[in-house]
Amino acid sequence: MVACLVETLSKQSILSKCYGTLPSNEASSVARLIETEAFSTAAASASAEDDDIEILQVYSRKISRKMLDTVKTRASSAAASSVVDVGTAPQTLSLEAASATVASEDNSPTVTES
């Protein structure tokens, strides 16, 4: 699972198109942390009446959430700390637009025109 996470975080993927990639060494340490936390969460939530599928679903959801939170946080901090330069504007604007889109989807009220 850690190897799969490292590849997803450090290589071209659906996530990297929106949020960019992590360097391999950073992706490796982040992947280990994500997997450890997901495993602990799944183990803590397991009970005698749970079947293996339910535990696997908890584990998978935790990995997905942590991975998405990690790339979103990294992209927004990278966008905030970078200086917009004419030569790098498309990539910087792409990261900023992705962060703004996520923020507006989460917090914006629904507005209807009359």
Side-chain angles (χ1 to χ4, degrees):
M1 184 43 122
V2 172
C4 182
L5 284 169
V6 170
E7 187 169 324
T8 302
L9 294 168
S10 64
K11 306 273 191 253
Q12 286 293 347
S13 67
I14 293 171
L15 287 176
S16 70
K17 289 180 183 179
C18 291
Y19 305 106
T21 58
L22 277 66
S24 292
N25 59 345
E26 183 180 349
S28 181
S29 62
V30 166
R32 277 189 239 106
L33 290 172
I34 289 171
E35 199 282 330
T36 300
E37 187 174 334
F39 185 85
S40 297
T41 300
S45 72
S47 66
E49 55 273 349
D50 284 343
D51 62 5
D52 293 339
I53 298 298
E54 291 173 7
I55 296 167
L56 182 59
Q57 287 174 338
V58 170
Y59 176 76
S60 298
R61 277 193 300 267
K62 186 66 173 185
I63 284 178
S64 297
R65 281 190 203 120
K66 288 299 292 180
M67 184 170 49
L68 193 55
D69 289 347
T70 299
V71 295
K72 283 181 181 180
T73 301
R74 189 173 187 283
S76 64
S77 65
S81 66
S82 68
V83 176
V84 176
D85 183 7
V86 176
T88 61
Q91 182 178 2
T92 304
L93 293 175
S94 174
L95 291 174
E96 290 172 352
S99 297
T101 300
V102 170
S104 67
E105 287 174 357
D106 291 342
N107 298 323
S108 64
T110 305
V111 178
T112 57
E113 293 183 27
S114 47

